[in-house]
Amino acid sequence: MIVIMRPGTTIEEVDKLKNKIEREGCKVSLLKGENQCILGLVGDTTRIDPSKIEANKHVERVTKVQQPYKLANRLFHPSETVIRVKDEIIGGKKLAVIAGPCSVESEEQIVEIARSVKESGAGFLRGGAFKPRTSPYSFQGLKKHGLELLKIARQETGLPIVTEIMSADMIDLFVQNVDVIQVGARNMHNFELLKELGKTRTPILLKRGLSATIEELIMSAEYLMSEGNENVILCERGVRTFETYTRNTLDLSAIPAIKRLSHLPIIVDPSHAAGMWWMVEPLSKAAIAVGADGLMIEVHNDPENAKCDGQQSLTPKRFKTLMADLEPIAAAVNREL
Ligand code: PEP
Ligand code: MN
């Protein structure tokens, strides 16, 4: 962090600020100019709040040179994080493919989809039991019963289950029953939920908020990690832009950016990004080509009658074709499916 003092500030005032920052645990180097001083803060500046320094009337400007996150930062953890979930891994050479319906609707539905996606090579089953819907009148999910149905599908196929949590009072239930807990886009900024989930050790799939920056997404991961849960998987699922043709705009540049900034695995959800089933295939290919560690894809056995997101769901047959088509792309970037 660099602090530029206002021209003409007395050396006493500069020293006062320098001492104050040093008391907070940072080393400060002072650069004295003709009539302006600059302070260079080195060491762990994550606990220094730049807005407090900016509030000092002798300060002209504060510039951050280091990211505000530490545990999620690649700087302090150069190797990739690999997360183990039962026999599967996320973040290794093998790409993690999470597939399944937007929401769990019935035992027959979830078991049939689970069997078919497993046969096509998916490593995880997804399915919402508690659904965050825009309208309170839309299907809200089967809730606890939905979790039971996911467990039946897991038992039938061996696939680990990924499902979304909406509130902290459900944490015990999820920890006992679910393999990967999803924090949806709408809850990425729910810091109280993140702090509570941080106290568990269950892997967390953290989706990017609707209008969240890359730094905000990583800061939310930092919330989980700061409480001790380092099993965090990030997910790019498209962000809101001026474009209305697609449901969201898939930010493919977030993948190489996050790979540079963080050691955490990052997967892509092309279904919620595009909002149209026919765009899932090209976007999945692109995601793998830019270095994503996996995909989360909505698959439904009867998209026309799906209770949620049928328009963006692949049929099991299309999913099978997609998996085969992705193989040469994965190989081209030295990954496996
Ligand atoms: C989902 O994955 O079911 C979902 C609701 O996604 P998002 O939180 O990204 O909108
Ligand atoms: Mn959905």
Side-chain angles (χ1 to χ4, degrees):
M1 199 178 290
I2 293 167
V3 181
I4 301 169
M5 305 302 293
R6 295 192 65 180
T9 303
T10 63
I11 195 68
E12 288 74 28
E13 286 297 344
V14 175
D15 274 338
K16 237 200 233 167
L17 181 61
K18 179 173 180 280
N19 293 339
K20 192 173 170 208
I21 297 169
E22 279 173 341
R23 280 198 298 276
E24 292 190 40
C26 252
K27 272 197 186 156
V28 182
S29 320
L30 172 60
L31 197 68
K32 272 192 220 160
E34 248 332 72
N35 57 13
Q36 195 169 19
C37 288
I38 294 173
L39 301 177
L41 279 58
V42 283
D44 180 10
T45 56
T46 46
R47 286 179 196 278
I48 305 276
D49 181 352
S51 60
K52 280 199 178 152
I53 302 176
E54 265 164 355
N56 183 313
K57 65 176 189 284
H58 302 292
V59 170
E60 177 82 39
R61 196 154 32 95
V62 178
T63 308
K64 287 191 291 177
V65 285
Q66 215 182 58
Q67 290 90 14
Y69 43 89
K70 191 177 175 197
L71 299 169
N73 200 324
R74 192 180 275 279
L75 199 64
F76 307 108
H77 189 302
S79 60
E80 310 282 343
T81 283
V82 178
I83 293 166
R84 251 163 232 294
V85 185
K86 297 194 162 207
D87 296 335
E88 292 292 324
I89 51 162
I90 308 179
K93 184 168 181 178
K94 185 169 180 253
L95 297 167
V97 180
I98 305 170
C102 182
S103 58
V104 181
E105 297 171 13
S106 67
E107 181 176 332
E108 301 69 51
Q109 176 240 22
I110 195 69
V111 171
E112 187 184 324
I113 297 172
R115 285 208 178 103
S116 70
V117 298
K118 181 177 178 166
E119 206 186 290
S120 302
F124 301 80
L125 175 68
R126 66 150 284 150
F130 296 83
K131 292 300 305 172
R133 303 302 300 278
T134 303
S135 165
Y137 310 117
S138 301
F139 176 60
Q140 304 283 308
L142 296 179
K143 308 208 163 80
K144 286 185 186 171
H145 182 55
L147 289 187
E148 291 306 314
L149 300 184
L150 279 168
K151 283 164 67 182
I152 295 173
R154 174 174 62 192
Q155 204 172 3
E156 292 292 318
T157 58
L159 290 178
I161 52 181
V162 183
T163 193
E164 179 167 352
I165 194 162
M166 302 242 283
S167 62
D169 58 354
M170 290 285 156
I171 291 179
D172 287 345
L173 182 72
F174 272 63
V175 167
Q176 280 158 28
N177 294 291
V178 166
D179 302 299
V180 177
I181 301 177
Q182 176 173 322
V183 174
R186 289 152 196 82
N187 269 314
M188 190 210 84
H189 295 287
N190 186 343
F191 303 122
E192 290 307 312
L193 176 63
L194 297 176
K195 279 194 267 183
E196 291 305 313
L197 285 169
K199 292 175 187 154
T200 77
R201 293 298 175 267
T202 306
I204 308 291
L205 176 64
L206 177 65
K207 299 188 85 176
R208 184 175 180 180
L210 306 176
S211 305
T213 64
I214 290 168
E215 187 169 289
E216 285 165 343
L217 171 61
I218 302 176
M219 285 306 282
S220 286
E222 189 81 7
Y223 260 98
L224 292 162
M225 298 172 87
S226 68
E227 294 290 337
N229 191 350
E230 305 212 338
N231 302 314
V232 182
I233 305 126
L234 304 172
C235 180
E236 161 61 37
R237 45 75 75 203
V239 286
R240 280 231 169 121
T241 66
F242 50 83
E243 183 55 73
T244 54
Y245 186 77
T246 45
R247 182 174 181 179
N248 291 288
T249 298
L250 181 61
D251 181 9
L252 282 172
S253 62
I255 314 310
I258 286 170
K259 285 276 156 208
R260 178 176 279 237
L261 296 169
S262 178
H263 52 88
L264 295 173
I266 165 113
I267 67 163
V268 168
D269 169 355
S271 309
H272 289 89
M276 288 173 271
W277 66 267
W278 55 269
M279 243 190 229
V280 169
E281 180 210 319
L283 294 182
S284 299
K285 290 177 174 171
I288 291 177
V290 294
D293 294 300
L295 295 165
M296 171 136 118
I297 295 176
E298 285 188 336
V299 177
H300 200 285
N301 51 352
D302 182 12
E304 281 177 41
N305 292 302
K307 285 201 191 300
C308 182
D309 287 349
Q311 82 291 351
Q312 64 193 34
S313 300
L314 296 186
T315 58
K317 193 166 159 232
R318 285 208 167 91
F319 177 70
K320 187 176 181 182
T321 310
L322 171 65
M323 289 294 280
D325 291 348
L326 291 176
E327 251 173 62
I329 302 192
V333 290
N334 200 25
R335 305 295 286 263
E336 289 166 3
L337 264 177

